[in-house]
Short mmCIF file of all heavy atoms in Angstrom, two decimals:
data_model
loop_
_atom_site.label_atom_id
_atom_site.label_comp_id
_atom_site.label_asym_id
_atom_site.label_seq_id
_atom_site.Cartn_x
_atom_site.Cartn_y
_atom_site.Cartn_z
N SER X 202 57.23 39.58 51.31
CA SER X 202 55.79 39.68 51.12
C SER X 202 55.35 41.13 51.05
O SER X 202 54.54 41.51 50.19
CB SER X 202 55.07 38.97 52.27
OG SER X 202 53.69 39.11 52.15
N ILE X 203 55.87 41.97 51.93
CA ILE X 203 55.53 43.39 51.91
C ILE X 203 55.98 44.01 50.60
O ILE X 203 55.23 44.76 49.98
CB ILE X 203 56.16 44.12 53.13
CG1 ILE X 203 55.45 43.68 54.41
CG2 ILE X 203 56.07 45.63 52.96
CD1 ILE X 203 56.12 44.15 55.68
N GLN X 204 57.20 43.73 50.16
CA GLN X 204 57.70 44.31 48.92
C GLN X 204 56.87 43.89 47.72
O GLN X 204 56.64 44.68 46.82
CB GLN X 204 59.17 43.96 48.71
CG GLN X 204 60.09 44.73 49.63
CD GLN X 204 61.55 44.39 49.46
OE1 GLN X 204 61.90 43.35 48.92
NE2 GLN X 204 62.40 45.27 49.92
N LYS X 205 56.41 42.67 47.71
CA LYS X 205 55.58 42.20 46.60
C LYS X 205 54.25 42.93 46.55
O LYS X 205 53.65 43.07 45.50
CB LYS X 205 55.35 40.69 46.71
CG LYS X 205 56.56 39.87 46.39
CD LYS X 205 56.28 38.40 46.56
CE LYS X 205 57.54 37.58 46.35
NZ LYS X 205 57.32 36.15 46.61
N ASN X 206 53.78 43.39 47.70
CA ASN X 206 52.49 44.07 47.78
C ASN X 206 52.59 45.58 47.65
O ASN X 206 51.57 46.27 47.71
CB ASN X 206 51.77 43.70 49.08
CG ASN X 206 51.33 42.25 49.08
OD1 ASN X 206 50.85 41.75 48.07
ND2 ASN X 206 51.51 41.58 50.19
N LEU X 207 53.79 46.11 47.52
CA LEU X 207 53.95 47.55 47.32
C LEU X 207 53.41 47.93 45.96
O LEU X 207 53.54 47.18 44.99
CB LEU X 207 55.43 47.94 47.39
CG LEU X 207 56.11 47.86 48.76
CD1 LEU X 207 57.59 48.18 48.63
CD2 LEU X 207 55.45 48.80 49.75
N PRO X 208 52.80 49.10 45.86
CA PRO X 208 52.32 49.52 44.55
C PRO X 208 53.49 49.75 43.59
O PRO X 208 54.56 50.18 44.01
CB PRO X 208 51.57 50.82 44.83
CG PRO X 208 52.04 51.27 46.16
CD PRO X 208 52.53 50.07 46.89
N SER X 209 53.25 49.46 42.35
CA SER X 209 54.28 49.66 41.33
C SER X 209 54.42 51.14 41.00
O SER X 209 53.56 51.95 41.35
CB SER X 209 53.91 48.88 40.06
OG SER X 209 52.77 49.46 39.46
N LYS X 210 55.46 51.45 40.29
CA LYS X 210 55.67 52.82 39.82
C LYS X 210 54.47 53.26 38.98
O LYS X 210 53.99 54.39 39.10
CB LYS X 210 56.97 52.85 38.99
CG LYS X 210 57.66 54.14 38.92
CD LYS X 210 58.96 53.93 38.16
CE LYS X 210 59.91 55.03 38.44
NZ LYS X 210 61.18 54.87 37.75
N LYS X 211 53.99 52.36 38.16
CA LYS X 211 52.84 52.66 37.29
C LYS X 211 51.59 52.95 38.12
O LYS X 211 50.83 53.87 37.81
CB LYS X 211 52.60 51.48 36.34
CG LYS X 211 51.50 51.71 35.34
CD LYS X 211 51.37 50.54 34.39
CE LYS X 211 50.26 50.78 33.40
NZ LYS X 211 50.12 49.70 32.44
N GLU X 212 51.37 52.18 39.18
CA GLU X 212 50.21 52.40 40.04
C GLU X 212 50.30 53.74 40.78
O GLU X 212 49.30 54.45 40.92
CB GLU X 212 50.06 51.26 41.04
CG GLU X 212 49.66 49.95 40.41
CD GLU X 212 49.77 48.77 41.36
OE1 GLU X 212 50.76 48.67 42.11
OE2 GLU X 212 48.83 47.94 41.35
N ILE X 213 51.49 54.09 41.24
CA ILE X 213 51.68 55.37 41.92
C ILE X 213 51.45 56.52 40.95
O ILE X 213 50.76 57.49 41.26
CB ILE X 213 53.07 55.45 42.57
CG1 ILE X 213 53.18 54.40 43.69
CG2 ILE X 213 53.35 56.85 43.11
CD1 ILE X 213 54.59 54.19 44.22
N THR X 214 52.01 56.39 39.75
CA THR X 214 51.81 57.42 38.73
C THR X 214 50.33 57.58 38.42
O THR X 214 49.81 58.70 38.36
CB THR X 214 52.59 57.08 37.44
OG1 THR X 214 53.98 57.03 37.75
CG2 THR X 214 52.34 58.10 36.35
N SER X 215 49.64 56.48 38.24
CA SER X 215 48.21 56.51 37.93
C SER X 215 47.42 57.18 39.06
O SER X 215 46.51 57.99 38.80
CB SER X 215 47.70 55.09 37.70
OG SER X 215 46.33 55.09 37.43
N TRP X 216 47.77 56.87 40.31
CA TRP X 216 47.09 57.48 41.45
C TRP X 216 47.29 58.99 41.43
O TRP X 216 46.34 59.74 41.62
CB TRP X 216 47.62 56.87 42.76
CG TRP X 216 46.86 57.29 43.97
CD1 TRP X 216 45.81 56.62 44.55
CD2 TRP X 216 47.06 58.48 44.76
NE1 TRP X 216 45.37 57.32 45.65
CE2 TRP X 216 46.11 58.47 45.81
CE3 TRP X 216 47.94 59.54 44.69
CZ2 TRP X 216 46.04 59.47 46.77
CZ3 TRP X 216 47.87 60.55 45.64
CH2 TRP X 216 46.92 60.50 46.67
N LEU X 217 48.53 59.42 41.22
CA LEU X 217 48.84 60.86 41.21
C LEU X 217 48.14 61.58 40.06
O LEU X 217 47.58 62.66 40.24
CB LEU X 217 50.35 61.09 41.15
CG LEU X 217 51.12 60.73 42.42
CD1 LEU X 217 52.63 60.71 42.14
CD2 LEU X 217 50.79 61.69 43.55
N VAL X 218 48.16 60.97 38.88
CA VAL X 218 47.48 61.58 37.73
C VAL X 218 45.98 61.71 38.02
O VAL X 218 45.39 62.77 37.79
CB VAL X 218 47.73 60.75 36.44
CG1 VAL X 218 46.79 61.18 35.32
CG2 VAL X 218 49.18 60.88 36.01
N SER X 219 45.37 60.67 38.53
CA SER X 219 43.94 60.72 38.86
C SER X 219 43.66 61.78 39.92
O SER X 219 42.68 62.53 39.82
CB SER X 219 43.46 59.36 39.36
OG SER X 219 43.50 58.41 38.34
N TYR X 220 44.52 61.82 40.93
CA TYR X 220 44.32 62.78 42.01
C TYR X 220 44.34 64.21 41.47
O TYR X 220 43.45 65.00 41.76
CB TYR X 220 45.41 62.59 43.08
CG TYR X 220 45.14 63.41 44.32
CD1 TYR X 220 44.44 62.84 45.38
CD2 TYR X 220 45.55 64.73 44.43
CE1 TYR X 220 44.17 63.58 46.52
CE2 TYR X 220 45.28 65.48 45.56
CZ TYR X 220 44.59 64.90 46.61
OH TYR X 220 44.31 65.64 47.73
N PHE X 221 45.38 64.55 40.69
CA PHE X 221 45.49 65.91 40.20
C PHE X 221 44.43 66.24 39.15
O PHE X 221 43.93 67.35 39.10
CB PHE X 221 46.91 66.19 39.68
CG PHE X 221 47.89 66.37 40.79
CD1 PHE X 221 48.88 65.44 41.01
CD2 PHE X 221 47.82 67.45 41.64
CE1 PHE X 221 49.79 65.59 42.06
CE2 PHE X 221 48.71 67.63 42.70
CZ PHE X 221 49.70 66.69 42.90
N ALA X 222 44.07 65.27 38.32
CA ALA X 222 43.01 65.50 37.34
C ALA X 222 41.69 65.81 38.05
O ALA X 222 40.98 66.75 37.68
CB ALA X 222 42.86 64.30 36.41
N ASP X 223 41.38 65.04 39.09
CA ASP X 223 40.16 65.29 39.87
C ASP X 223 40.23 66.64 40.57
O ASP X 223 39.26 67.40 40.57
CB ASP X 223 39.93 64.19 40.91
CG ASP X 223 39.51 62.87 40.30
OD1 ASP X 223 39.12 62.84 39.11
OD2 ASP X 223 39.57 61.85 41.01
N LEU X 224 41.35 66.94 41.16
CA LEU X 224 41.54 68.20 41.88
C LEU X 224 41.35 69.39 40.96
O LEU X 224 40.72 70.38 41.31
CB LEU X 224 42.94 68.23 42.51
CG LEU X 224 43.33 69.51 43.25
CD1 LEU X 224 42.51 69.65 44.53
CD2 LEU X 224 44.82 69.50 43.58
N LEU X 225 41.91 69.29 39.76
CA LEU X 225 41.88 70.40 38.81
C LEU X 225 40.65 70.39 37.91
O LEU X 225 40.42 71.35 37.17
CB LEU X 225 43.15 70.36 37.95
CG LEU X 225 44.47 70.51 38.73
CD1 LEU X 225 45.65 70.17 37.84
CD2 LEU X 225 44.59 71.92 39.31
N GLY X 226 39.90 69.31 37.93
CA GLY X 226 38.72 69.21 37.08
C GLY X 226 39.05 69.10 35.61
O GLY X 226 38.36 69.67 34.77
N ILE X 227 40.13 68.38 35.30
CA ILE X 227 40.55 68.19 33.91
C ILE X 227 40.67 66.69 33.62
O ILE X 227 40.67 65.87 34.53
CB ILE X 227 41.87 68.92 33.60
CG1 ILE X 227 43.02 68.40 34.47
CG2 ILE X 227 41.72 70.43 33.77
CD1 ILE X 227 44.39 69.01 34.15
N CYS X 228 40.80 66.36 32.35
CA CYS X 228 40.98 64.96 31.94
C CYS X 228 42.38 64.49 32.31
O CYS X 228 43.34 65.25 32.27
CB CYS X 228 40.80 64.82 30.43
SG CYS X 228 39.14 65.16 29.86
N LYS X 229 42.48 63.22 32.63
CA LYS X 229 43.78 62.64 32.96
C LYS X 229 44.79 62.84 31.84
O LYS X 229 45.97 63.03 32.08
CB LYS X 229 43.63 61.14 33.26
CG LYS X 229 42.86 60.84 34.50
CD LYS X 229 42.71 59.32 34.65
CE LYS X 229 41.69 59.00 35.71
NZ LYS X 229 41.47 57.55 35.81
N SER X 230 44.31 62.81 30.61
CA SER X 230 45.20 62.95 29.45
C SER X 230 45.84 64.34 29.38
O SER X 230 46.83 64.53 28.67
CB SER X 230 44.45 62.66 28.16
OG SER X 230 43.38 63.57 28.00
N GLU X 231 45.28 65.29 30.11
CA GLU X 231 45.83 66.65 30.12
C GLU X 231 46.96 66.82 31.14
O GLU X 231 47.61 67.87 31.17
CB GLU X 231 44.73 67.66 30.42
CG GLU X 231 43.66 67.73 29.34
CD GLU X 231 42.58 68.73 29.69
OE1 GLU X 231 42.90 69.92 29.83
OE2 GLU X 231 41.42 68.31 29.81
N ILE X 232 47.19 65.82 31.94
CA ILE X 232 48.25 65.88 32.95
C ILE X 232 49.56 65.43 32.32
O ILE X 232 49.66 64.33 31.79
CB ILE X 232 47.91 64.98 34.17
CG1 ILE X 232 46.60 65.40 34.81
CG2 ILE X 232 49.06 64.98 35.17
CD1 ILE X 232 46.63 66.71 35.56
N ASP X 233 50.56 66.29 32.40
CA ASP X 233 51.90 65.98 31.90
C ASP X 233 52.77 65.59 33.09
O ASP X 233 52.87 66.36 34.06
CB ASP X 233 52.49 67.21 31.19
CG ASP X 233 53.87 66.97 30.61
OD1 ASP X 233 54.55 65.99 31.00
OD2 ASP X 233 54.28 67.78 29.76
N LEU X 234 53.38 64.44 33.02
CA LEU X 234 54.16 63.91 34.14
C LEU X 234 55.38 64.76 34.48
O LEU X 234 55.90 64.68 35.59
CB LEU X 234 54.62 62.48 33.85
CG LEU X 234 53.52 61.46 33.54
CD1 LEU X 234 54.12 60.09 33.32
CD2 LEU X 234 52.47 61.43 34.62
N SER X 235 55.82 65.58 33.55
CA SER X 235 57.02 66.40 33.76
C SER X 235 56.73 67.88 34.04
O SER X 235 57.66 68.66 34.23
CB SER X 235 57.94 66.29 32.54
OG SER X 235 58.37 64.95 32.39
N THR X 236 55.47 68.24 34.07
CA THR X 236 55.11 69.63 34.35
C THR X 236 55.12 69.86 35.86
O THR X 236 54.49 69.10 36.60
CB THR X 236 53.71 69.96 33.78
OG1 THR X 236 53.76 69.83 32.36
CG2 THR X 236 53.28 71.37 34.14
N PRO X 237 55.83 70.89 36.31
CA PRO X 237 55.86 71.18 37.76
C PRO X 237 54.45 71.47 38.29
O PRO X 237 53.62 72.08 37.61
CB PRO X 237 56.74 72.42 37.87
CG PRO X 237 57.58 72.40 36.63
CD PRO X 237 56.71 71.79 35.56
N PHE X 238 54.20 71.03 39.51
CA PHE X 238 52.89 71.21 40.12
C PHE X 238 52.45 72.66 40.14
O PHE X 238 51.28 72.96 39.92
CB PHE X 238 52.88 70.64 41.55
CG PHE X 238 53.17 69.17 41.62
CD1 PHE X 238 54.11 68.67 42.50
CD2 PHE X 238 52.50 68.27 40.81
CE1 PHE X 238 54.39 67.31 42.57
CE2 PHE X 238 52.76 66.91 40.86
CZ PHE X 238 53.72 66.43 41.75
N HIS X 239 53.38 73.57 40.39
CA HIS X 239 53.00 74.99 40.48
C HIS X 239 52.43 75.51 39.17
O HIS X 239 51.62 76.44 39.16
CB HIS X 239 54.18 75.87 40.95
CG HIS X 239 55.28 76.01 39.95
ND1 HIS X 239 55.25 76.94 38.93
CD2 HIS X 239 56.45 75.34 39.82
CE1 HIS X 239 56.35 76.83 38.22
NE2 HIS X 239 57.11 75.87 38.74
N ARG X 240 52.79 74.89 38.04
CA ARG X 240 52.24 75.32 36.75
C ARG X 240 50.75 74.97 36.63
O ARG X 240 50.05 75.54 35.81
CB ARG X 240 53.02 74.70 35.60
CG ARG X 240 54.39 75.27 35.46
CD ARG X 240 54.65 75.68 34.03
NE ARG X 240 55.95 76.27 33.92
CZ ARG X 240 56.89 75.86 33.09
NH1 ARG X 240 56.66 74.83 32.29
NH2 ARG X 240 58.05 76.47 33.05
N TYR X 241 50.32 74.00 37.41
CA TYR X 241 48.91 73.64 37.43
C TYR X 241 48.14 74.47 38.46
O TYR X 241 46.94 74.29 38.63
CB TYR X 241 48.73 72.15 37.76
CG TYR X 241 49.12 71.23 36.63
CD1 TYR X 241 50.24 70.41 36.74
CD2 TYR X 241 48.37 71.18 35.45
CE1 TYR X 241 50.60 69.56 35.71
CE2 TYR X 241 48.73 70.34 34.42
CZ TYR X 241 49.84 69.53 34.55
OH TYR X 241 50.20 68.69 33.53
N GLY X 242 48.86 75.33 39.16
CA GLY X 242 48.22 76.18 40.16
C GLY X 242 47.97 75.47 41.48
O GLY X 242 47.10 75.87 42.25
N ILE X 243 48.73 74.41 41.73
CA ILE X 243 48.58 73.67 42.98
C ILE X 243 49.13 74.52 44.12
O ILE X 243 50.30 74.89 44.12
CB ILE X 243 49.32 72.31 42.92
CG1 ILE X 243 48.85 71.47 41.73
CG2 ILE X 243 49.19 71.57 44.24
CD1 ILE X 243 47.41 71.08 41.76
N GLU X 244 48.28 74.84 45.08
CA GLU X 244 48.69 75.64 46.23
C GLU X 244 49.14 74.73 47.36
O GLU X 244 48.92 73.52 47.34
CB GLU X 244 47.52 76.51 46.67
CG GLU X 244 47.10 77.51 45.61
CD GLU X 244 45.92 78.35 46.03
OE1 GLU X 244 45.49 78.26 47.20
OE2 GLU X 244 45.42 79.09 45.17
N SER X 245 49.75 75.33 48.37
CA SER X 245 50.31 74.54 49.47
C SER X 245 49.25 73.73 50.20
O SER X 245 49.50 72.59 50.59
CB SER X 245 51.07 75.43 50.45
OG SER X 245 50.22 76.40 51.00
N SER X 246 48.05 74.27 50.36
CA SER X 246 47.00 73.52 51.06
C SER X 246 46.61 72.26 50.27
O SER X 246 46.38 71.20 50.86
CB SER X 246 45.77 74.39 51.30
OG SER X 246 45.23 74.85 50.09
N ALA X 247 46.57 72.37 48.95
CA ALA X 247 46.26 71.20 48.11
C ALA X 247 47.39 70.19 48.16
O ALA X 247 47.16 68.98 48.18
CB ALA X 247 46.01 71.63 46.68
N ALA X 248 48.63 70.68 48.21
CA ALA X 248 49.79 69.78 48.28
C ALA X 248 49.80 69.02 49.61
O ALA X 248 50.06 67.82 49.64
CB ALA X 248 51.08 70.58 48.12
N ILE X 249 49.47 69.71 50.69
CA ILE X 249 49.43 69.06 52.00
C ILE X 249 48.31 68.03 52.05
O ILE X 249 48.48 66.92 52.55
CB ILE X 249 49.26 70.12 53.11
CG1 ILE X 249 50.55 70.94 53.23
CG2 ILE X 249 48.90 69.47 54.44
CD1 ILE X 249 50.43 72.18 54.07
N SER X 250 47.17 68.38 51.49
CA SER X 250 46.04 67.46 51.44
C SER X 250 46.39 66.22 50.63
O SER X 250 46.09 65.09 51.03
CB SER X 250 44.83 68.17 50.85
OG SER X 250 43.73 67.30 50.77
N MET X 251 47.03 66.43 49.48
CA MET X 251 47.43 65.32 48.63
C MET X 251 48.41 64.41 49.36
O MET X 251 48.31 63.19 49.31
CB MET X 251 48.05 65.82 47.33
CG MET X 251 48.38 64.74 46.32
SD MET X 251 49.97 63.87 46.49
CE MET X 251 51.13 65.19 46.53
N THR X 252 49.37 65.01 50.07
CA THR X 252 50.35 64.22 50.81
C THR X 252 49.65 63.36 51.86
O THR X 252 49.97 62.18 52.02
CB THR X 252 51.40 65.13 51.47
OG1 THR X 252 52.05 65.91 50.46
CG2 THR X 252 52.45 64.33 52.22
N GLY X 253 48.67 63.93 52.55
CA GLY X 253 47.91 63.16 53.54
C GLY X 253 47.15 62.01 52.92
O GLY X 253 47.14 60.90 53.45
N ASP X 254 46.52 62.26 51.78
CA ASP X 254 45.79 61.19 51.08
C ASP X 254 46.75 60.11 50.59
O ASP X 254 46.43 58.91 50.64
CB ASP X 254 44.99 61.77 49.92
CG ASP X 254 43.83 62.63 50.37
OD1 ASP X 254 43.43 62.55 51.55
OD2 ASP X 254 43.32 63.41 49.54
N LEU X 255 47.90 60.53 50.12
CA LEU X 255 48.91 59.58 49.64
C LEU X 255 49.42 58.71 50.80
O LEU X 255 49.55 57.50 50.66
CB LEU X 255 50.07 60.36 49.01
CG LEU X 255 51.18 59.60 48.33
CD1 LEU X 255 50.64 58.79 47.15
CD2 LEU X 255 52.26 60.56 47.84
N GLU X 256 49.65 59.34 51.95
CA GLU X 256 50.10 58.59 53.13
C GLU X 256 49.05 57.58 53.56
O GLU X 256 49.37 56.44 53.92
CB GLU X 256 50.39 59.55 54.28
CG GLU X 256 51.63 60.38 54.07
CD GLU X 256 51.85 61.43 55.15
OE1 GLU X 256 50.90 61.75 55.90
OE2 GLU X 256 52.98 61.92 55.25
N GLU X 257 47.80 57.99 53.50
CA GLU X 257 46.70 57.09 53.88
C GLU X 257 46.64 55.90 52.92
O GLU X 257 46.48 54.75 53.35
CB GLU X 257 45.38 57.85 53.86
CG GLU X 257 44.22 57.06 54.41
CD GLU X 257 42.96 57.88 54.48
OE1 GLU X 257 43.01 59.03 54.97
OE2 GLU X 257 41.91 57.37 54.04
N TRP X 258 46.76 56.16 51.64
CA TRP X 258 46.70 55.09 50.64
C TRP X 258 47.87 54.12 50.81
O TRP X 258 47.69 52.91 50.75
CB TRP X 258 46.71 55.69 49.23
CG TRP X 258 46.79 54.67 48.13
CD1 TRP X 258 45.96 53.60 47.94
CD2 TRP X 258 47.75 54.61 47.07
NE1 TRP X 258 46.34 52.89 46.82
CE2 TRP X 258 47.44 53.49 46.27
CE3 TRP X 258 48.84 55.41 46.73
CZ2 TRP X 258 48.19 53.15 45.16
CZ3 TRP X 258 49.57 55.07 45.61
CH2 TRP X 258 49.25 53.95 44.84
N LEU X 259 49.07 54.65 51.02
CA LEU X 259 50.26 53.81 51.07
C LEU X 259 50.59 53.29 52.48
O LEU X 259 51.40 52.39 52.62
CB LEU X 259 51.47 54.58 50.52
CG LEU X 259 51.37 54.96 49.05
CD1 LEU X 259 52.51 55.88 48.66
CD2 LEU X 259 51.36 53.70 48.17
N GLY X 260 49.99 53.90 53.50
CA GLY X 260 50.30 53.49 54.85
C GLY X 260 51.73 53.83 55.24
O GLY X 260 52.39 53.08 55.96
N TYR X 261 52.19 54.95 54.77
CA TYR X 261 53.58 55.37 55.00
C TYR X 261 53.61 56.89 55.15
O TYR X 261 52.93 57.59 54.41
CB TYR X 261 54.46 54.94 53.81
CG TYR X 261 55.92 55.21 54.00
CD1 TYR X 261 56.72 54.33 54.74
CD2 TYR X 261 56.51 56.34 53.45
CE1 TYR X 261 58.07 54.59 54.91
CE2 TYR X 261 57.87 56.60 53.63
CZ TYR X 261 58.64 55.72 54.36
OH TYR X 261 59.97 55.98 54.54
N GLU X 262 54.39 57.37 56.10
CA GLU X 262 54.47 58.82 56.34
C GLU X 262 55.63 59.43 55.57
O GLU X 262 56.76 58.94 55.62
CB GLU X 262 54.64 59.08 57.83
CG GLU X 262 54.48 60.53 58.20
CD GLU X 262 54.48 60.76 59.69
OE1 GLU X 262 53.88 59.95 60.43
OE2 GLU X 262 55.09 61.75 60.12
#
Side-chain angles (χ1 to χ4, degrees):
S202 177
I203 290 171
Q204 286 180 341
K205 288 178 185 176
N206 291 319
L207 290 176
S209 68
K210 206 175 199 179
K211 184 177 180 178
E212 291 169 318
I213 295 168
T214 299
S215 179
W216 188 94
L217 289 168
V218 167
S219 293
Y220 189 93
F221 285 112
D223 288 346
L224 177 69
L225 299 168
I227 61 176
C228 294
K229 293 177 192 176
S230 61
E231 295 179 61
I232 301 289
D233 181 343
L234 303 182
S235 297
T236 297
F238 298 131
H239 70 83
R240 289 230 178 124
Y241 287 112
I243 304 297
E244 297 178 7
S245 60
S246 60
I249 290 168
S250 179
M251 186 276 306
T252 302
D254 291 343
L255 186 62
E256 289 174 343
E257 187 175 314
W258 174 54
L259 296 172
Y261 185 82
E262 190 173 320

